[in-house]
Amino acid sequence: MNSLPLAGLKVLDLSRLLPGPYATLVLADLGASVDRVEEPSGGDPVRHMPPFREGESALHHGLNRNKRSVVLDLKSPEGRDALLRLVGGYDMLVESFRPGVMDRLGLGWSTLHARHPRLIYCAISGYGQTGPDRLRAGHDLNYVARAGVLGYGGEAGGAPAFPGVQLGDIGGGSLFALVGLLAALYERERTGQGRFVDISMTDGATAFLHMHLAARLFMGEAGTPLRRGEEALNGGLPCYGVYRTQDGRALAVGALEPKFFAGVCEALGHPEWLDEAYALDGGAARVKAELTHLIAQHPLSHWTSLFAGRDVCVEPVLEGDEVLADAQLRARGLFMESEDTPSGRKLTHLRTPLRLGDVTPRAPPSLGQHSQEILAEAGFNREEIEKLVK
């Protein structure tokens, strides 16, 4: 039998919305047992976000397969004491409250570490546990704005390009949380001690600018500030950009190296473009303007046919359900078919990228569906469970 690498790992997930739940979804897909602790008055807000299918949030469904749900009121003494007792049976705890909330509840790192020294505790927040803005409210768009990521994309002289996806939440939050959690797990094998993992989504978002920002720091006074739409990888070069087609679609040209852009120029009948294509002092802009004008003369299908079979790093920009039909993604097994019991619905799940074994998807839990089961496993007796599960 193909065993998943994190089989036997137990994770207690107190987080909400996207960053924490996506991190624990990856852990669940790698074999970990993930139990979500939700508040009794509605649970995770994602449960109530549209779109809905037969009364169930599609967003919640996409984030919470193969997890269980227990309801505890952590603001009550009984709920707090139950969590203190419950957490001893877990390897990791993930939360996404503002800094200080868990301490005020009597459930912070120092308290839990003193009682359960092997516990790995991950706190995901917008700006981290320290610094003048640690208590500041925010969402993904705010974090990428503060990190400089938002300001780096878009046309030169124009407005920043809206990213459309949650770079700060997933890239800055979920993925760095996973790195921290797994690094702490490896360390615990050596020391026997858990660790506090402080994840700032704003810190994490700066990773998307690492090459550019690190180079700027190295150049010091000899360099220039980062500029939107004017540099090699954000629109300044004709060989690396997005071009509108006649039918309102878009073509992604990623022919960064001269050998690839030479192939593009040859296919387009303009080999002379290569001579100026990399001159950011003016030549590149001229070539880009001519390429923009040419691409706009024909529909996307014309360009995909022209570049088919050529090794030149040119791809159509897929939109809507085109992604779901992409032959490469399907060949990689990114879409997983299942039957949702007990409803009997046929569903397709989006896998997380790391596939290190076979995953059998289970439907996301209803609010508090496993409260009695989880508490009984932790040693609570029937009378204690009845007091907590109302």
Side-chain angles (χ1 to χ4, degrees), residues 43-363:
D44 187 342
V46 171
R47 288 184 178 275
H48 312 288
M49 293 181 179
F52 296 97
R53 178 178 176 181
E54 298 174 17
E56 182 181 5
S57 167
L59 300 180
H60 181 266
H61 190 279
L63 286 171
N64 290 286
R65 64 169 173 265
N66 291 15
K67 300 179 185 179
R68 300 190 299 178
S69 171
V70 56
V71 165
L72 289 176
D73 181 4
L74 300 182
K75 296 178 181 178
S76 72
E78 296 81 8
R80 170 192 172 277
D81 291 345
L83 188 79
L84 284 172
R85 183 172 163 187
L86 186 65
V87 75
Y90 292 83
D91 299 286
M92 297 174 173
L93 180 146
V94 179
E95 55 101 339
S96 59
F97 299 111
R98 289 201 211 188
V101 168
M102 288 288 279
D103 287 320
R104 289 196 296 275
L105 293 173
L107 298 169
W109 160 248
S110 59
T111 299
L112 296 184
H113 182 62
R115 290 172 173 250
H116 310 291
R118 288 179 56 82
L119 180 70
I120 296 165
Y121 183 122
C122 178
I124 305 173
S125 62
Y127 300 100
Q129 302 295 306
T130 59
D133 290 333
R134 68 191 191 94
L135 299 180
R136 192 177 181 89
H139 281 295
D140 182 276
L141 193 63
N142 307 117
Y143 310 142
V144 295
R146 288 291 294 274
V149 173
L150 188 61
Y152 197 60
E155 294 292 329
F162 196 93
V165 295
Q166 285 62 57
L167 295 175
D169 283 357
I170 297 292
S174 308
L175 300 186
F176 277 103
L178 287 164
V179 172
L181 285 164
L182 296 177
L185 184 64
Y186 181 79
E187 179 188 45
R188 194 182 71 176
E189 291 298 304
R190 187 175 69 253
T191 67
Q193 293 290 307
R195 175 181 282 272
F196 182 79
V197 180
D198 172 12
I199 299 297
S200 158
M201 287 181 272
T202 304
D203 290 0
T206 65
F208 290 94
L209 268 181
H210 183 92
M211 182 168 66
H212 317 290
L213 204 54
R216 172 70 189 102
L217 291 169
F218 176 78
M219 292 301 295
E221 293 183 1
T224 57
L226 302 184
R227 296 162 296 172
R228 176 163 60 252
E230 298 182 35
E231 300 183 11
L233 297 178
N234 73 344
L237 294 179
C239 62
Y240 201 82
V242 179
Y243 295 88
R244 299 292 290 180
T245 60
Q246 185 187 54
D247 54 349
R249 296 296 301 274
L251 192 70
V253 178
L256 186 60
E257 296 90 338
K259 67 175 183 178
F260 290 129
F261 196 58
V264 171
C265 296
E266 179 184 346
L268 296 174
H270 287 279
E272 76 280 2
W273 282 352
L274 189 63
D275 296 335
E276 292 189 290
Y278 296 88
L280 283 169
D281 59 352
R286 288 191 294 273
V287 173
K288 184 176 180 180
E290 292 183 35
L291 179 57
T292 299
H293 178 75
L294 179 59
I295 296 297
Q297 303 305 304
H298 298 282
L300 181 63
S301 59
H302 170 84
W303 299 117
T304 54
S305 295
L306 178 68
F307 289 110
R310 297 177 184 265
D311 191 27
V312 291
C313 305
V314 175
E315 298 288 354
V317 176
L318 300 187
E319 298 182 14
D321 283 351
E322 290 174 341
V323 175
L324 304 180
D326 184 81
Q328 175 64 20
L329 298 182
R330 288 202 162 274
R332 292 285 296 168
L334 210 59
F335 309 110
M336 176 173 51
E337 308 293 334
S338 75
E339 181 174 305
D340 181 27
T341 53
S343 71
R345 295 177 298 183
K346 299 291 185 180
L347 296 172
T348 303
H349 293 263
L350 177 62
R351 292 180 183 267
T352 51
L354 286 174
R355 293 188 297 283
L356 303 180
D358 294 329
V359 177
T360 302
R362 300 192 316 270

